[in-house]
Amino acid sequence: DVKVTQSSRYLVKRTGEKVFLECVQDMDHENMFWYRQDPGLGLRLIYFSYDVKMKEKGDIPEGYSVSREKKERFSLILESASTNQTSMYLCASSFMKNTEAFFGQGTRLTVV
Amino acid sequence: QKEVEQDPGPLSVPEGAIVSLNCTYSNSAFQYFMWYRQYSRKGPELLMYTYSSGNKEDGRFTAQVDKSSKYISLFIRDSQPSDSATYLCAMSAGGNEKLTFGTGTRLTIIP
């Protein structure tokens, strides 16, 4: 079974803090993705990576950055957290680009 | 118009009923189709994955793709209370074209 593990289930951070969300997959997938999910807006793609050290902006990259130093690990960074970044963050990985994506359990981030 | 349309529900059906969940789409290039199940406060779990048109069955679940009508369906037979969740459809043209998700249908199975 594919396993995608996100480092935290729940996080509470203060406005202006730098926040790191970590994601690790154990299936040697080249493709990794970060989404946020908000009621009524569905899943929105923040950043993705098709290879180590490679990153591409998704639909809503503003206020975020990513790091992929190793194939299995993809980190999402909130440079200066703001209240409008309160959301459910989902990491995913896939063997083929943009097909069967496997998701982690999600991190519910609250910025106060 | 959204690229993928999915009725948000909520949909409530009695236990044992057949459930039909649907998505329509506008991009004729889509050829990979997925259904995900998401329990409250959890990540989406891949349920079904189909390529191009046709049917695929896995236990109580059947996925149908009708590319001529740009319409996909997920059928759940003998529905159980444990099937209560939000169901998301997703699709892509493959390659560098990103996955596009529906907004999800919230399903409740009443015991």
Side-chain angles (χ1 to χ4, degrees):
Chain A
D1 271 358
V2 175
K3 193 160 185 187
V4 180
T5 304
Q6 295 182 230
S7 53
S8 306
R9 288 291 309 278
Y10 300 96
L11 274 180
V12 180
K13 296 292 181 180
R14 294 194 180 276
T15 301
E17 275 193 78
K18 192 168 186 175
V19 181
F20 294 86
L21 302 183
E22 307 285 345
C23 175
V24 177
Q25 50 93 5
D26 67 357
M27 283 303 291
D28 202 34
H29 286 168
E30 292 194 345
N31 310 299
M32 296 189 75
F33 309 85
W34 276 105
Y35 293 87
R36 64 178 282 178
Q37 186 176 34
D38 300 287
L41 296 176
L43 281 153
R44 292 181 291 168
L45 183 63
I46 305 171
Y47 266 97
F48 60 99
S49 169
Y50 290 150
D51 202 352
V52 176
K53 301 214 187 266
M54 178 268 183
K55 57 186 177 185
E56 292 277 353
K57 293 179 180 179
D59 298 321
I60 52 162
E62 297 77 20
Y64 303 94
S65 63
V66 290
S67 172
R68 187 144 182 226
E69 296 295 319
K70 293 185 178 180
K71 189 175 187 178
E72 67 271 17
R73 188 177 295 269
F74 193 33
S75 303
L76 180 69
I77 303 152
L78 284 67
E79 298 292 342
S80 176
S82 64
T83 54
N84 63 12
Q85 293 178 311
T86 292
S87 187
M88 173 73 135
Y89 288 88
L90 292 161
C91 175
S93 74
S94 68
F95 176 64
M96 286 171 60
K97 285 181 187 178
N98 298 306
T99 56
E100 283 177 290
F102 295 89
F103 284 86
Q105 75 275 32
T107 297
R108 182 160 292 280
L109 173 68
T110 302
V111 182
V112 298
Chain B
Q1 184 191 2
K2 288 182 181 176
E3 219 171 359
V4 177
E5 300 275 1
Q6 185 175 10
D7 187 335
L11 180 63
S12 295
V13 300
E15 183 176 354
I18 296 174
V19 176
S20 172
L21 303 166
N22 310 295
C23 287
T24 58
Y25 63 94
S26 57
N27 187 344
S28 57
F30 286 154
Q31 52 182 341
Y32 298 93
F33 303 93
M34 285 134 278
W35 284 97
Y36 288 87
R37 177 176 63 195
Q38 186 174 22
Y39 292 116
S40 182
R41 299 189 192 91
K42 297 282 179 69
E45 171 195 6
L46 182 64
L47 266 183
M48 300 289 282
Y49 168 57
T50 52
Y51 170 70
S52 194
S53 280
N55 293 2
K56 184 174 183 179
E57 190 173 319
D58 185 0
R60 296 185 295 111
F61 298 90
T62 300
Q64 276 186 359
V65 174
D66 182 348
K67 290 187 72 179
S68 61
S69 302
K70 298 192 185 69
Y71 189 88
I72 68 170
S73 301
L74 178 71
F75 297 96
I76 307 174
R77 288 185 300 282
D78 186 26
S79 55
Q80 304 294 311
S82 59
D83 296 327
S84 298
T86 296
Y87 289 79
L88 300 162
C89 63
M91 49 197 82
S92 83
N96 290 329
E97 296 299 315
K98 64 180 176 68
L99 269 179
T100 302
F101 288 84
T103 49
T105 299
R106 190 167 181 179
L107 173 68
T108 301
I109 308 298
I110 303 164

